[in-house]
Every structure is written in C-alpha cells, then in structure tokens.
Amino acid sequence: MSKLQLPRTLFPLSALALATSLMASPALAETLSIGVQGELASFDTSQVSGGVWESQVLMDVYEGLIKQSPDGELLPGMATKWEVSDDGKTYTFHMREDAKWSDGEPVTAEDFVFGWQHLLAPENASKYAYMLYPIVNAKAINTGDKAADTLGAESLDDGRTLKVTLNHPTPYFPQLLTHYTAYPVPKHLVDEYGKNWVKLDHIATNGAFKPVDWISQSKISVEKSSTYYDADDVSLDGVNYFTVEDRNAGISRFRAGELDVLRDYPSSRYQWLTENLPDATHMSPMLGSYYYVLNQRDGHPTNDKRVREALNLAIRRNVLSEQIMAGSFKASTAMVPPGTSHYEAQHMDLGSDDMNARMAKAKELLQEAGYGPDHPLNLRLRYNTSDEHKKIAIAVAAMWKPLGVNVQMINSEATVHYQTIQQGDFDVARAGWIADYNDAENFLTLLHTGVGNNYGAYSNPEYDKLMDQAAQTQDLDAREKLLEKAENVALDDYAFIPMLTYVTRNLVNPKLEGWEDNVEDDHPSRWVHFTE
C-alpha cells in the first residue's frame, strides 16, 4: 500500500517543485490529437458510462482535490494541503485560493460538496455513485434514504476549507479523489441553467482545458483554460479527442500524422509495430481485467451455477492470450490482477489441466442443468465493437461449440454496449475493468449486490458481508485476508468468466514528452508537450 499511504499532515512543496520541473516551455505550443475508443457520454460526471476514453477527456477538463503526476504519483490539485485525523476517518482539505472555473468564478469547497451530492442523487442514477460510499451517509443518500445535506462533507471558512468524514478508515481515499466521481460541479451554473449547465454554451470546467466543440461520434475539442492556476505551465494550446473504434484505421491515421497518440492499438499488430514504429510503440504492465459477465437475473440460463461452471471449464485462456491476442494479454482465472497492492492473486478452481477431462465435466454439468441435443443451450453474447473483442468472442464461441452451446453474437459501439448490459439485456457480455485506484476493493466491488457496474446482478450475502467487513477493517493484513476470502466466494460461485489481464498498449509520438507509462494508464494532457 506504499503508493497510497500519505503522512497525517501534508505540505507537499517538494511535489509542487517536481510538478514544475516536469514542464518545459516550447517556443510554439501546439494541439495534441488523441485517438480514443469511444465517445464521452456526458461532461456531467454523474452520467458517464465508465469507458477509459471518458476518463481521458474528463481528467483534462476537470481537476479534483488531488491530481496525478505523469507517472501516477499524487500531487496537490484543488487542495494545496490536507490533514488526516489519527483514526483515519476525518480529512481536512485547504482549498487553493487561485482556483477558478473557466468562466472566472472561484472553485470552492461548496462546489465539491454540491458535486458529490449531485453524483449521489438517486434521480441521476450514476453507475459510479458507490465510489463515494466511504463518506458518511453517501450510500443512504444514493438510495434515497437520507437527504443530500446529511453527506459527511462540509464547506467551512466561506468555502476555503472542506471537511470530509468517512464511515471508517479508507486507505485508498486520497487516490480515489483523483477519479472523476470526486470532481466538483459548478453550483452557480446548475443554479442558473439546471440540467443545461453541461451544454457547451454554458459549461465551465476547472481543469487545464475547457471544452469548445463536440461533433458526435467524431471529435471533441478542448482548449487551454486561461483561468487555470497553472496555465503558464500548460504547454498545449488544446487537445482533440477523435473517436477511432477501428484500431487498424487508427494506426494508419497515426502513421499519417493525424494522431499524436492512439490509445489501445490492436494486440495483433504489436509485433509489426515494434518492427516498424519501435520508438512510438508502448507496452507496459497494467492493473486491468478482461472478463465476461454472466447474467444471473431470473430467466437467464446463466442464472444456473452449473451452466456458469461449465462455461468457465471450456475456456482455454492460454489460447486466448498467446494465440488470439499474440501475447499482448496475460491469461487470468481471477478478478483482481497480479501486482495489485497488498493483495495475493487468487485463482478459480477449474480442476484438471487436462482439457478433455474439463470438457467431459462441462458436458455433465450442462446435462444436469437440462441441456442437450434436444434442448441446446442458446446464449446471446454481447461485446463492444472492436476487432479484438470480436476475435475473442469468436474463439470463445468455438470453445463452447463442442458442448452443444449455440452463441448469438451481438456487437455495438461502446457507450451503447455498456448501457445495454447495465439494463440486463444479455446472457453473456464482454466487460473490462481498469483500476481507478491501486486496491483490490476497486475490482471486487464490481460483484457487490446493488453496485451499478455489477452488470450480471450477482448477489451473495456471504460475499457482501466479507466486503463490508473488509471496508471497516483498519489493519491492512486482516483487510487483505477478508478481501481474498470474498474473491474466493465469487470464484467458487463461478460468478463471472475471468479470461485475461491487460497491459497498456499505446502509440505515442516520439516527439512528445510528459507521457509516462503507468499501471493505471492515466495520462493527463496538462503534463504533455512537444519537443523540437
């Protein structure tokens, strides 16, 4: 947990000095062009669908109490310093006096209190509201059981101080504050325009950049914000985010100079890219899991544990990682990826390594569940549009075919895909999770009853109890054991199909500096500049 541990009182002058030293001032600032996988759902963070591409845009236009350096270390953001009580449950943040929205209005502690209340409001139905549940009464507000003003976040000293009270010590809370769920919302604009505050002719943001143009399914453009407190140290004039779902087309656009960065190039092109674009091809370890969700709502065949186990037994994960994905993923049999801080990797029990034995057992399980030649198992498998996801889906369907499973594959663009599976309209669905913060809880909470990103509606009281106990355990070793035990409950339930763990795959213009590989694959554009 060393990355997340912070002193009780922080006066991070050395961090500020580091941030300044990271910047250069080129003679001519320029615009950065990034190819991203999907389209932002909204600049209203309560309406974001959860794509990595959305995080890229939002971290450029907003800033939380704490921000990240190029390599992922924590730095002061809207707060210049903060203290933590001895029991780890009360944080006091001192707001930056020169923090302003892009319309010139000051950013205050009240904007954070209001922003968090906005995200938690039941009518906004945010999938990510649970991220704020460590705060006192956050969950009760989100479920409609308590009023918004009971939230354990208080603006003091005319908005210059923010006091946050947690239900229990939360080791990852400082890092959570860098996530877009903890960004502020401009209360003065919501008061004036209501839901229309987020339209481009009204919106104000508090980050290094502000949005100026949005062409649906094509491009979002932002420009440097003159009111940002560190505007003099932001080298770029602006950033264009191009929606590039065809990753091979993205490579062509990168080679043609239309893109400076292509996020997540196809794994099948890795070898070619290392031979032809060696200086631009980046790959590094990443905290991310690629898995299939199994719908456990009534009426779906995957509600039967025997079916879930059979489907898991038939997956040849090494084939997926080494042959289908050309070694650019690692095989996985768990939700929490290896390398997660203060956590020992767990594994699903798949019995014998002998695939013939596993397939025989899978057939028996399906037969017990009532499936066979006269009653075949028919599954709808949804995935978001991508050559990689298509290849994996085709391979998985082929692995299931000897079991007599008929697979109907349905693909859609990313935002629609995640909205559809959240509504439960699937049997099996592709999903991926990239760590928001380096802690096993961030992955395991995906299987907690009622969580917005628990797409399969998995629910096990024992699992929930262990997760809740872990959330209240201050001793890190004891907490780790509870989390590991919880994951094993889900693995024994075959609650999902773990398949692969991610690595970062980006094409980056060699003339860029300030873009650093890191395990969370976060790259705020405010640090980036072009060299000569």
Side-chain angles (χ1 to χ4, degrees):
M1 300 297 292
S2 58
K3 183 177 179 182
L4 301 182
Q5 288 177 335
L6 297 173
R8 289 298 182 188
T9 304
L10 299 178
F11 296 88
L13 297 179
S14 60
L16 289 173
L18 168 64
T20 301
S21 70
L22 287 167
M23 297 308 302
S25 298
L28 180 64
E30 299 185 47
T31 298
L32 181 69
S33 295
I34 304 177
V36 294
Q37 285 180 281
E39 181 161 78
L40 179 70
S42 174
F43 281 108
D44 180 343
T45 54
S46 74
Q47 301 304 303
V48 171
S49 63
V52 174
W53 55 91
E54 294 179 303
S55 181
Q56 175 68 66
V57 178
L58 294 172
M59 73 174 64
D60 284 348
V61 300
Y62 292 110
E63 186 169 288
L65 294 164
I66 301 172
K67 65 176 180 283
Q68 291 179 302
S69 71
D71 61 0
E73 293 303 310
L74 301 184
L75 299 173
M78 291 290 104
T80 57
K81 60 182 180 180
W82 55 95
E83 298 92 44
V84 188
S85 62
D86 289 338
D87 64 3
K89 294 197 293 186
T90 302
Y91 285 72
T92 304
F93 297 91
H94 302 277
M95 301 299 297
R96 187 180 295 278
E97 292 185 4
D98 55 351
K100 294 181 180 180
W101 293 100
S102 55
D103 61 3
E105 290 294 312
V107 179
T108 68
E110 181 62 26
D111 290 318
F112 279 91
V113 174
F114 179 77
W116 297 354
Q117 291 173 342
H118 177 76
L119 188 93
L120 292 165
E123 62 270 20
N124 286 330
S126 170
K127 293 196 307 177
Y128 281 83
Y130 68 88
M131 295 275 284
L132 297 181
Y133 281 8
I135 302 174
V136 165
N137 289 332
K139 183 175 182 179
I141 294 168
N142 189 228
T143 56
D145 294 330
K146 288 195 175 182
D149 60 8
T150 65
L151 184 67
E154 185 179 4
S155 174
L156 305 172
D157 305 325
D158 295 323
R160 294 190 296 271
T161 304
L162 176 65
K163 180 181 178 182
V164 183
T165 306
L166 307 182
N167 295 303
H168 43 75
T170 305
Y172 56 85
F173 188 66
Q175 193 165 349
L176 185 153
L177 294 177
T178 68
H179 191 259
Y180 55 76
T181 49
Y183 290 162
V185 169
K187 185 176 185 298
H188 65 286
L189 292 182
V190 179
D191 289 343
E192 183 174 359
Y193 298 112
K195 290 185 177 181
N196 290 330
W197 76 270
V198 79
K199 292 188 175 181
L200 291 190
D201 52 351
H202 299 318
I203 194 172
T205 59
N206 72 319
F209 302 90
K210 61 181 181 180
V212 293
D213 191 30
W214 188 341
I215 302 173
S216 182
Q217 297 298 329
S218 177
K219 180 181 72 169
I220 291 176
S221 297
V222 303
E223 65 181 27
K224 178 178 173 180
S225 174
S226 62
T227 65
Y228 184 59
Y229 63 89
D230 260 356
D232 290 345
D233 287 330
V234 176
S235 294
L236 297 173
D237 281 331
V239 185
N240 292 320
Y241 314 91
F242 293 93
T243 302
V244 185
E245 292 193 348
D246 184 337
R247 316 310 287 158
N248 285 302
I251 293 174
S252 297
R253 293 178 67 175
F254 181 87
R255 297 183 70 200
E258 297 176 26
L259 300 175
D260 299 301
V261 176
L262 177 67
R263 300 298 303 267
D264 199 31
Y265 56 78
S267 60
S268 60
R269 302 295 300 278
Y270 175 64
Q271 189 61 43
W272 185 92
L273 289 169
T274 56
E275 294 170 357
N276 292 273
L277 298 171
D279 294 336
T281 304
H282 290 231
M283 179 183 283
S284 65
M286 185 181 190
L287 296 181
S289 292
Y290 187 115
Y291 63 102
Y292 274 3
V293 181
L294 297 172
N295 197 336
Q296 289 161 65
R297 297 169 178 84
D298 290 341
H300 292 269
T302 43
N303 188 33
D304 189 320
K305 179 181 176 180
R306 295 168 297 187
V307 173
R308 300 196 300 269
E309 182 178 358
L311 296 177
N312 264 289
L313 287 170
I315 300 293
R316 299 171 183 258
R317 291 162 176 83
N318 287 331
V319 170
L320 295 178
S321 64
E322 299 301 324
Q323 298 180 29
I324 307 301
M325 292 293 102
S328 60
F329 282 83
K330 301 299 181 184
S332 173
T333 55
M335 176 62 80
V336 182
T340 300
S341 181
H342 215 104
Y343 195 81
E344 183 176 342
Q346 304 299 301
H347 302 283
M348 179 178 283
D349 182 7
L350 296 172
S352 171
D353 290 334
D354 182 348
M355 283 305 301
N356 290 329
R358 280 168 52 173
M359 293 298 285
K361 183 178 179 181
K363 290 178 181 178
E364 289 177 7
L365 287 165
L366 289 183
Q367 190 173 30
E368 290 175 12
Y371 298 99
D374 297 330
H375 183 214
L377 174 58
N378 299 315
L379 298 175
R380 288 180 304 144
L381 191 165
R382 289 189 178 272
Y383 63 92
N384 49 305
T385 304
S386 159
D387 286 343
E388 287 184 358
H389 303 332
K390 182 178 181 180
K391 286 181 180 179
I392 291 174
I394 290 172
V396 168
M399 293 173 188
W400 288 340
K401 190 174 180 60
L403 300 179
V405 179
N406 299 320
V407 178
Q408 177 190 4
M409 287 183 285
I410 307 168
N411 73 292
S412 54
E413 64 92 13
T415 302
V416 173
H417 169 76
Y418 279 105
Q419 290 172 345
T420 302
I421 67 173
Q422 186 182 28
Q423 295 164 1
D425 185 13
F426 70 98
D427 296 313
V428 182
R430 180 264 160 188
W433 189 260
I434 308 301
D436 297 308
Y437 44 89
N438 189 352
D439 192 274
E441 185 272 348
N442 189 222
F443 290 90
L444 297 179
T445 196
L446 297 171
L447 297 170
H448 197 291
T449 301
V451 166
N453 291 316
N454 183 354
Y455 302 115
Y458 172 69
S459 182
N460 184 311
E462 183 184 1
Y463 183 90
D464 295 344
K465 181 180 178 180
L466 289 165
M467 290 296 295
D468 294 343
Q469 287 177 342
Q472 300 178 43
T473 301
Q474 192 165 1
D475 181 270
L476 295 183
D477 290 336
R479 178 177 179 269
E480 176 186 348
K481 296 304 180 186
L482 288 167
L483 291 173
E484 290 170 357
K485 188 174 181 180
E487 182 171 16
N488 277 292
V489 169
L491 293 174
D492 290 345
D493 276 344
Y494 302 94
F496 61 104
I497 302 177
M499 294 194 292
L500 303 164
T501 55
Y502 281 94
V503 295
T504 68
R505 300 195 306 267
N506 298 298
L507 290 181
V508 183
N509 186 336
K511 292 185 177 181
L512 287 181
E513 289 188 354
W515 176 286
E516 300 288 342
D517 294 327
N518 59 79
V519 294
E520 294 177 51
D521 204 20
D522 285 339
H523 304 280
S525 299
R526 66 141 321 194
W527 302 116
V528 175
H529 63 273
F530 288 88
T531 60
E532 295 297 330

Short mmCIF file of all heavy atoms in Angstrom, two decimals, residues 230-256:
data_model
loop_
_atom_site.label_atom_id
_atom_site.label_comp_id
_atom_site.label_asym_id
_atom_site.label_seq_id
_atom_site.Cartn_x
_atom_site.Cartn_y
_atom_site.Cartn_z
N ASP A 230 -2.36 26.93 -13.03
CA ASP A 230 -1.05 26.61 -13.58
C ASP A 230 -1.00 26.80 -15.10
O ASP A 230 -0.23 26.14 -15.79
CB ASP A 230 -0.67 25.16 -13.25
CG ASP A 230 0.26 25.06 -12.05
OD1 ASP A 230 0.67 26.12 -11.55
OD2 ASP A 230 0.57 23.94 -11.62
N ALA A 231 -1.82 27.71 -15.60
CA ALA A 231 -1.93 27.88 -17.05
C ALA A 231 -0.58 28.18 -17.70
O ALA A 231 -0.30 27.73 -18.81
CB ALA A 231 -2.93 28.99 -17.38
N ASP A 232 0.28 28.91 -17.00
CA ASP A 232 1.58 29.26 -17.59
C ASP A 232 2.46 28.04 -17.81
O ASP A 232 3.39 28.07 -18.62
CB ASP A 232 2.30 30.26 -16.69
CG ASP A 232 1.65 31.64 -16.68
OD1 ASP A 232 0.83 31.89 -17.58
OD2 ASP A 232 1.96 32.44 -15.77
N ASP A 233 2.18 26.96 -17.07
CA ASP A 233 2.98 25.75 -17.20
C ASP A 233 2.31 24.68 -18.05
O ASP A 233 2.80 23.55 -18.12
CB ASP A 233 3.31 25.18 -15.82
CG ASP A 233 4.36 26.01 -15.09
OD1 ASP A 233 5.20 26.61 -15.78
OD2 ASP A 233 4.31 26.07 -13.85
N VAL A 234 1.17 25.00 -18.66
CA VAL A 234 0.50 24.07 -19.58
C VAL A 234 0.97 24.43 -20.98
O VAL A 234 0.72 25.53 -21.47
CB VAL A 234 -1.03 24.19 -19.47
CG1 VAL A 234 -1.70 23.29 -20.51
CG2 VAL A 234 -1.49 23.81 -18.06
N SER A 235 1.66 23.52 -21.62
CA SER A 235 2.30 23.81 -22.90
C SER A 235 1.35 23.75 -24.09
O SER A 235 1.52 24.46 -25.08
CB SER A 235 3.46 22.85 -23.14
OG SER A 235 4.48 23.06 -22.18
N LEU A 236 0.36 22.85 -24.02
CA LEU A 236 -0.52 22.65 -25.18
C LEU A 236 -1.55 23.77 -25.30
O LEU A 236 -2.08 24.27 -24.31
CB LEU A 236 -1.25 21.32 -25.06
CG LEU A 236 -0.38 20.05 -25.06
CD1 LEU A 236 -1.25 18.83 -24.75
CD2 LEU A 236 0.33 19.88 -26.39
N ASP A 237 -1.86 24.13 -26.54
CA ASP A 237 -2.97 25.05 -26.81
C ASP A 237 -4.30 24.36 -26.63
O ASP A 237 -5.30 24.98 -26.25
CB ASP A 237 -2.91 25.57 -28.25
CG ASP A 237 -1.88 26.68 -28.42
OD1 ASP A 237 -1.63 27.41 -27.44
OD2 ASP A 237 -1.30 26.80 -29.52
N GLY A 238 -4.33 23.07 -26.94
CA GLY A 238 -5.58 22.33 -26.84
C GLY A 238 -5.37 20.86 -27.17
O GLY A 238 -4.26 20.41 -27.47
N VAL A 239 -6.48 20.11 -27.10
CA VAL A 239 -6.46 18.67 -27.38
C VAL A 239 -7.69 18.32 -28.19
O VAL A 239 -8.80 18.81 -27.92
CB VAL A 239 -6.46 17.84 -26.07
CG1 VAL A 239 -6.31 16.36 -26.38
CG2 VAL A 239 -5.38 18.30 -25.10
N ASN A 240 -7.50 17.48 -29.20
CA ASN A 240 -8.61 16.89 -29.95
C ASN A 240 -8.67 15.40 -29.63
O ASN A 240 -7.65 14.71 -29.72
CB ASN A 240 -8.43 17.07 -31.46
CG ASN A 240 -8.54 18.52 -31.89
OD1 ASN A 240 -9.39 19.25 -31.39
ND2 ASN A 240 -7.69 18.93 -32.82
N TYR A 241 -9.87 14.93 -29.26
CA TYR A 241 -10.08 13.51 -29.00
C TYR A 241 -10.93 12.95 -30.13
O TYR A 241 -12.12 13.28 -30.25
CB TYR A 241 -10.79 13.31 -27.66
CG TYR A 241 -10.21 14.12 -26.53
CD1 TYR A 241 -10.69 15.38 -26.24
CD2 TYR A 241 -9.15 13.61 -25.76
CE1 TYR A 241 -10.16 16.14 -25.22
CE2 TYR A 241 -8.61 14.36 -24.73
CZ TYR A 241 -9.11 15.64 -24.47
OH TYR A 241 -8.58 16.39 -23.45
N PHE A 242 -10.32 12.12 -30.96
CA PHE A 242 -11.02 11.55 -32.10
C PHE A 242 -11.55 10.16 -31.74
O PHE A 242 -10.81 9.33 -31.21
CB PHE A 242 -10.09 11.43 -33.31
CG PHE A 242 -9.66 12.76 -33.88
CD1 PHE A 242 -8.48 13.36 -33.45
CD2 PHE A 242 -10.45 13.41 -34.81
CE1 PHE A 242 -8.08 14.58 -33.97
CE2 PHE A 242 -10.06 14.63 -35.34
CZ PHE A 242 -8.87 15.22 -34.92
N THR A 243 -12.81 9.92 -32.03
CA THR A 243 -13.39 8.59 -31.81
C THR A 243 -12.89 7.67 -32.92
O THR A 243 -13.21 7.85 -34.09
CB THR A 243 -14.93 8.65 -31.83
OG1 THR A 243 -15.37 9.56 -30.83
CG2 THR A 243 -15.52 7.27 -31.56
N VAL A 244 -12.09 6.68 -32.54
CA VAL A 244 -11.48 5.76 -33.51
C VAL A 244 -11.75 4.34 -33.03
O VAL A 244 -10.92 3.72 -32.36
CB VAL A 244 -9.96 6.01 -33.64
CG1 VAL A 244 -9.39 5.11 -34.74
CG2 VAL A 244 -9.67 7.47 -33.94
N GLU A 245 -12.91 3.80 -33.38
CA GLU A 245 -13.22 2.44 -32.97
C GLU A 245 -12.50 1.40 -33.82
O GLU A 245 -12.20 0.31 -33.35
CB GLU A 245 -14.74 2.22 -33.01
CG GLU A 245 -15.48 3.03 -31.95
CD GLU A 245 -16.91 2.59 -31.77
OE1 GLU A 245 -17.40 1.82 -32.62
OE2 GLU A 245 -17.54 3.01 -30.79
N ASP A 246 -12.20 1.74 -35.07
CA ASP A 246 -11.41 0.86 -35.94
C ASP A 246 -9.95 1.11 -35.62
O ASP A 246 -9.35 2.09 -36.08
CB ASP A 246 -11.71 1.16 -37.41
CG ASP A 246 -10.99 0.20 -38.36
OD1 ASP A 246 -9.96 -0.39 -37.97
OD2 ASP A 246 -11.45 0.06 -39.51
N ARG A 247 -9.35 0.23 -34.82
CA ARG A 247 -7.99 0.48 -34.34
C ARG A 247 -6.94 0.36 -35.45
O ARG A 247 -5.90 1.02 -35.41
CB ARG A 247 -7.64 -0.50 -33.21
CG ARG A 247 -8.72 -0.70 -32.18
CD ARG A 247 -9.29 0.59 -31.63
NE ARG A 247 -8.37 1.28 -30.75
CZ ARG A 247 -8.43 2.58 -30.47
NH1 ARG A 247 -9.33 3.33 -31.05
NH2 ARG A 247 -7.57 3.14 -29.66
N ASN A 248 -7.21 -0.47 -36.45
CA ASN A 248 -6.27 -0.56 -37.57
C ASN A 248 -6.28 0.74 -38.37
O ASN A 248 -5.23 1.21 -38.82
CB ASN A 248 -6.59 -1.75 -38.47
CG ASN A 248 -6.18 -3.07 -37.84
OD1 ASN A 248 -5.02 -3.28 -37.51
ND2 ASN A 248 -7.14 -3.96 -37.63
N ALA A 249 -7.47 1.30 -38.54
CA ALA A 249 -7.56 2.61 -39.19
C ALA A 249 -6.84 3.65 -38.34
O ALA A 249 -6.22 4.59 -38.87
CB ALA A 249 -9.02 3.00 -39.39
N GLY A 250 -6.89 3.48 -37.03
CA GLY A 250 -6.19 4.39 -36.13
C GLY A 250 -4.68 4.35 -36.34
O GLY A 250 -4.01 5.39 -36.29
N ILE A 251 -4.15 3.16 -36.58
CA ILE A 251 -2.71 3.04 -36.86
C ILE A 251 -2.36 3.80 -38.12
O ILE A 251 -1.34 4.52 -38.18
CB ILE A 251 -2.30 1.56 -36.97
CG1 ILE A 251 -2.43 0.87 -35.62
CG2 ILE A 251 -0.87 1.44 -37.49
CD1 ILE A 251 -2.17 -0.62 -35.65
N SER A 252 -3.19 3.67 -39.14
CA SER A 252 -2.94 4.39 -40.41
C SER A 252 -2.97 5.90 -40.17
O SER A 252 -2.14 6.64 -40.71
CB SER A 252 -3.99 4.00 -41.46
OG SER A 252 -3.89 2.62 -41.77
N ARG A 253 -3.91 6.35 -39.37
CA ARG A 253 -4.01 7.79 -39.08
C ARG A 253 -2.81 8.26 -38.26
O ARG A 253 -2.32 9.38 -38.44
CB ARG A 253 -5.32 8.09 -38.35
CG ARG A 253 -6.55 7.85 -39.21
CD ARG A 253 -7.84 8.11 -38.46
NE ARG A 253 -8.00 9.52 -38.12
CZ ARG A 253 -9.09 10.02 -37.55
NH1 ARG A 253 -10.11 9.21 -37.24
NH2 ARG A 253 -9.18 11.31 -37.27
N PHE A 254 -2.33 7.41 -37.36
CA PHE A 254 -1.14 7.74 -36.59
C PHE A 254 0.07 7.87 -37.51
O PHE A 254 0.84 8.84 -37.42
CB PHE A 254 -0.89 6.68 -35.52
CG PHE A 254 0.30 6.95 -34.64
CD1 PHE A 254 0.17 7.73 -33.51
CD2 PHE A 254 1.56 6.43 -34.97
CE1 PHE A 254 1.28 7.99 -32.70
CE2 PHE A 254 2.66 6.69 -34.17
CZ PHE A 254 2.52 7.47 -33.04
N ARG A 255 0.24 6.92 -38.41
CA ARG A 255 1.39 6.94 -39.32
C ARG A 255 1.32 8.14 -40.27
O ARG A 255 2.35 8.66 -40.68
CB ARG A 255 1.44 5.65 -40.13
CG ARG A 255 1.66 4.40 -39.29
CD ARG A 255 1.78 3.18 -40.18
NE ARG A 255 3.02 3.16 -40.95
CZ ARG A 255 3.22 2.47 -42.05
NH1 ARG A 255 2.26 1.71 -42.53
NH2 ARG A 255 4.39 2.50 -42.67
N ALA A 256 0.10 8.57 -40.57
CA ALA A 256 -0.07 9.72 -41.46
C ALA A 256 0.10 11.05 -40.73
O ALA A 256 0.06 12.11 -41.36
CB ALA A 256 -1.45 9.67 -42.11
#
